[in-house]
Amino acid sequence: MVKYLDLQKINASFEPELTEAVERTVKSGWYLFGAEVEEFERRFARYCGVGHCVGVGNGLDALTLIFMSYISLGRMQRGDEVIVPANTYIASILAVLRAGLKPVFCEPEWETCNIDANKIETLVTSRTKAVMVVHLYGRVCQMDAIYKTVSQHGLYIVEDCAQAHGAMYKGTKAGALGNAAGFSFYPGKNLGALGDAGAVTTDDGELAERIRALANYGSSAKYVHPYIGINSRMDEIQAAVLNVKLGRLDADNNRRREVARQYVEKINAKGLLLPMVDEEQAHVFHIFTVFTPLRDRLQAFLKARDVQTLIHYPIPPHRQKSLQDYATLSLPVTERIYREELSLPMSPLLTEEEISQVADAVNSFFVSVNG
Ligand SMILES: *Cc1c(COP(=O)(O)O)cnc(C)c1O
């Protein structure tokens, strides 16, 4: 069986360092606000090429805290609008809502599945304050076109980098492409903890300081609380794990690209759309997507051939019961993505045999339907 993602195998490949790091932290007697988090924040800021990194509890909190801080600093007002891609994991949209702002859904481009820069312009109103770019599946958005629109209207760019650790755009890393970025280190991400963790990266020192305060009960000094905050911390054990795994992120991303290259080479199926593999590290293949109107049949066929796949995602945000206000929007590109997308197994540790097994199974499905 080719698993969609073998986390046990991935984490075993970091031994014995991983267990040593956890053991060291357990024995240290210090579990929050310590040397491991400090080290991770310093290293991850440098890795992304920004001045500040703030470790928080998870990716949703990272994104929420960015917007809460903009409001707290008076740079945004409750009810202001944030343009978000209509096809994303629901967390991107929940972050905007949790902060008291209004998400405005923007269609993606079919070719990249990322926010369509040409459509952003038509959604800007006097209340628009920011564009959230989600580098979905690990592919960086078309930033130049987005910069052009954003600079004309004086908007902030907030990046959702939960799927794009280490991805680059013209030599700049995701996390340094906007005014602030939220990362998730959920176990299955390209840089994954052994539980929940997240971070904000930014060059804005005032924003970083406010995020740090809001993530710690709105505290500026012990028992002094000038702001209404939340509790969202990266803990020392997760930071120790991330400090071990960060050292291999670039090598792992290279390996993911190599797996993608082999899929593209080996899959030869008429009617199946494959992602483009470029050399610029603009795509770190958190998810390897294929598209076909026969998606559900292909998934069932692969399952019968012992190949595990997933759908990212089966129900778009505007079709979720929790977001009923958006249900009447016409979002044909978004809906096509949700109807046709299938995610093939992807991991830096996928073997040549596994890649061939997946490719052969995909090819034989299309031989069987195309005749
Ligand atoms: C995983 C993910 C998040 C949320 O991260 P958590 O750490 O689970 O809160 C946000 N946005 C996207 C695009 C994601 O894939």
Side-chain angles (χ1 to χ4, degrees):
M1 145 100 85
V2 185
K3 285 194 183 172
Y4 176 73
L5 177 67
D6 191 340
L7 272 183
Q8 189 179 36
K9 187 175 172 187
I10 289 177
N11 286 325
S13 74
F14 286 95
E15 294 296 7
E17 289 83 358
L18 210 51
T19 296
E20 280 168 10
V22 171
E23 203 174 299
R24 187 178 66 239
T25 310
V26 169
K27 289 184 175 156
S28 76
W30 194 272
Y31 308 112
L32 292 167
F33 299 115
E36 294 289 347
V37 171
E38 263 174 41
E39 181 185 335
F40 179 74
E41 289 179 341
R42 194 169 53 243
R43 286 177 60 198
F44 199 63
R46 177 154 12 110
Y47 179 83
C48 293
V50 294
H52 309 273
C53 170
V54 183
V56 297
N58 56 66
L60 174 60
D61 283 356
L63 293 166
T64 308
L65 282 159
I66 292 169
F67 292 112
M68 284 176 68
S69 297
Y70 278 134
I71 292 171
S72 175
L73 289 165
R75 301 196 215 164
M76 292 183 191
Q77 310 292 326
R78 259 166 241 289
D80 280 345
E81 296 171 2
V82 178
I83 297 172
V84 298
N87 71 310
T88 180
Y89 182 56
I90 197 161
S92 320
I93 290 154
L94 292 181
V96 175
L97 286 169
R98 270 176 93 197
L101 300 169
K102 185 171 173 251
V104 174
F105 288 28
C106 183
E107 277 269 76
E109 315 166 304
W110 167 244
E111 292 74 20
T112 65
C113 300
N114 279 331
I115 194 162
D116 188 337
N118 296 316
K119 295 201 177 125
I120 292 174
E121 183 85 48
T122 64
L123 299 171
V124 174
T125 73
S126 58
R127 294 220 70 173
T128 309
K129 287 289 154 42
V131 176
M132 182 191 269
V133 297
V134 183
H135 308 304
L136 200 67
Y137 307 137
R139 184 200 295 275
V140 180
C141 297
Q142 308 279 344
M143 295 308 297
D144 279 343
I146 293 165
Y147 291 142
K148 207 167 146 229
T149 305
V150 156
S151 64
Q152 276 161 11
H153 298 278
L155 310 176
Y156 290 103
I157 297 178
V158 175
E159 298 177 78
D160 179 341
C161 295
Q163 303 189 356
H165 316 71
M168 302 258 266
Y169 183 81
K170 300 185 176 175
T172 303
K173 287 248 171 66
L177 293 167
N179 299 92
F183 282 87
S184 164
F185 307 112
Y186 177 84
K189 309 290 191 188
N190 288 25
L191 179 59
L194 302 183
D196 277 319
V200 174
T201 56
T202 182
D203 272 324
D204 183 339
E206 191 184 29
L207 184 75
E209 194 184 325
R210 187 60 56 95
I211 287 169
R212 217 176 266 292
L214 287 180
N216 183 28
Y217 297 107
S219 173
S220 55
K222 204 168 170 77
Y223 301 126
V224 181
H225 303 270
Y227 321 114
I228 299 201
I230 62 172
N231 170 18
S232 183
R233 305 156 176 153
M234 180 186 286
D235 67 68
E236 286 285 290
I237 290 180
Q238 299 311 332
V241 165
L242 293 171
N243 279 325
V244 170
K245 296 181 78 173
L246 178 58
R248 223 181 73 192
L249 176 58
D250 283 339
D252 280 353
N253 282 342
N254 284 335
R255 180 62 200 154
R256 284 174 183 270
R257 265 190 296 277
E258 178 54 29
V259 171
R261 225 183 318 273
Q262 290 190 31
Y263 271 146
V264 171
E265 192 182 296
K266 290 178 173 161
I267 295 173
N268 180 13
K270 210 171 106 239
L272 186 71
L273 185 66
L274 298 168
M276 223 176 58
V277 186
D278 52 46
E279 302 300 321
E280 282 89 52
Q281 313 195 11
H283 199 327
V284 291
F285 289 97
H286 173 57
I287 294 171
F288 186 91
T289 54
V290 298
F291 294 88
T292 167
L294 306 175
R295 189 264 312 276
D296 293 342
R297 282 173 64 193
L298 174 59
Q299 184 174 41
F301 184 94
L302 294 178
K303 189 175 174 207
R305 299 273 176 119
D306 272 344
V307 174
Q308 263 184 4
T309 57
L310 291 178
I311 295 168
H312 294 94
Y313 298 86
I315 306 171
H318 70 286
R319 298 281 177 208
Q320 300 287 353
K321 207 170 161 195
S322 54
L323 297 175
Q324 271 170 3
D325 292 355
Y326 297 88
T328 57
L329 290 177
S330 167
L331 299 164
V333 181
T334 299
E335 298 206 352
R336 183 173 174 202
I337 291 169
Y338 284 82
R339 260 193 328 269
E340 297 194 9
E341 194 276 340
L342 188 68
S343 308
L344 300 186
M346 173 50 82
S347 136
L349 299 185
L350 224 52
T351 64
E352 307 261 324
E353 295 72 47
E354 287 171 321
I355 297 166
S356 294
Q357 187 185 332
V358 175
D360 290 349
V362 171
N363 289 340
S364 30
F365 171 77
F366 281 92
V367 167
S368 77
V369 297
N370 293 334

